[in-house]
Amino acid sequence: MRILVVEDDEMIGESVVDFLESEDYAVDWVTDGQSAILALRTTPFSLVILDLGLPGLDGLQVLREVRSRNDATPILVTTARDTVDDRVQGLDSGADDYLIKPYDLDELSARIRALLRRSAGRADPVITRGLLTIAPATREVAYDGKPVILSSKEYALLTALAERPGVVWSRNQLEEKLYNWDNTVGSNAIEVHIHHLRKKLADNAIKTVRGVGYILET
Ligand code: CA
C-alpha cells in the first residue's frame, strides 16, 4: 500500500514517514498543497494523510480540488485546529477521517487500517481469500492454517493482490503500489517477490496471466 503524506512541519513529517515505513507502507512526502495536487494527479495512492495548515494552497483547497475530479482516494486530515467548525468543514470538503494534533502514531495506524478496509469494501478486519488469511492489525499471514513469515515487500505485494480479488495486476501497477519515488526498482523485482511468495505459500497460490500480470488464486 502506498501512502502520500502532506505535511509542512519537518519533525512531524519525518516521524510519520519513519513510522509508516516501519509498518511496511511505501511512503511519499510532500510539504505543500500544489505538490500534493500534482502527486495525486500522477500517482495512484491507497491513502493520503493531509495536514490542513499548509503554505500556499491549504489542505481544504487540496481536498476540494481532489474531490472535484471525483478522485475517491481515502483522505485522513490532520490538523492543530480543533474547533467543531474546522472538523465539520474538513469532513464536508471530502475528508474521510480526522485526527487532531498532537496525535498518537498507533491511533494513526489503526485509523489507516480502518480507512483502507472501508475503501476496499470490506467489513471484516481479517482478509480471507481461499486458503489465505491476512490480519493487517498484526500483519500475521497464514496459508492453509499454517503461519507464513514474509518480508516487508512480500507482505505488501500479497496484501495488494488479496485486497482486490479477481483483479489482474500488471507488473507496473504492483511496482507503483510497492515503491515510492525514491526507489530505483530493478526490472525483475516483482517477479522475484512473486517467486518467493509461491515458495512460501504454494506454487499455484498466485497465477501468472501471460502478457497481463498476476492474480491471486482463490
Ligand atoms: Ca502545517
Side-chain angles (χ1 to χ4, degrees), residues 160-162 164 167-171 173-174 177 212-215:
L161 291 169
R164 306 264 310 277
V167 172
V168 181
W169 291 83
S170 71
R171 194 179 74 189
Q173 287 171 319
L174 289 169
K177 279 255 167 201
V212 188
Y214 301 99
I215 185 171

Side-chain angles (χ1 to χ4, degrees), residues 7-8 51 53-54 101:
E7 173 60 71
D8 61 317
D51 179 33
L54 294 169
K101 289 178 179 173

